[in-house]
Amino acid sequence: MTAVVTPRPPGDSDERTQLVGWLDVQRSIVRLKCDGLSEEDAHRKVLPGSPLMTMAGIVAHLRWVEYSWFHLNFLGVPDTGQTPWTEDGHPDAEMFVDDVPLAQLLDEYDEECARSNAIVAAHSLDQLEKGPVRAANPGSARYILCHMIEETARHCGHLDIIRELLDGRTGYTS
């Protein structure tokens, strides 16, 4: 099945539709950039100075940031055991996924994005984070959506560069 980019939200839609819509566009590009990759290429380290920046590693990181921003930070719910870090562990531990199939990572990412959208749909854009990490300066759901658009778009750029290094494919095509 060939991945497709989610259409942009209508230009005259309300703020919530715009924010969630633009985030969904970026999320769909993640799957598009991974479309047709072999497992070997999905886990190939093409940047000597950044060996964790693989297609699979970025997908795992994006799933993690969805979980951490919407569940841990926004809702303030206790971790369900998904936190990959230990006290003295690697700061990018969520990107250690050499043994995890790309299809599984993409499915987990899609599932986390759906949970994030459900959380946003159930709350006001003005609702502030409840998690302890940013208790001194909590952000609103609006802030988190803007941040997630930025975060996801930035990593889509990384996926685009890595994909070009792997097989020459660029742009909105896989």
Side-chain angles (χ1 to χ4, degrees), residues 59-118:
V59 173
H61 171 72
L62 286 169
R63 192 220 52 89
W64 164 250
V65 297
E66 290 277 343
Y67 170 75
S68 65
W69 276 97
F70 290 104
H71 288 270
L72 302 179
N73 296 4
F74 185 71
L75 292 180
V77 298
D79 181 30
T80 59
Q82 296 185 50
T83 301
W85 305 301
T86 58
E87 190 171 319
D88 295 323
H90 194 283
D92 297 313
E94 77 277 10
M95 297 177 87
F96 288 107
V97 292
D98 284 347
D99 58 340
V100 183
L102 180 61
Q104 177 183 333
L105 293 168
L106 287 165
D107 288 346
E108 290 172 357
Y109 177 60
D110 289 346
E111 291 165 7
E112 200 63 55
C113 291
R115 283 189 287 273
S116 297
N117 281 353

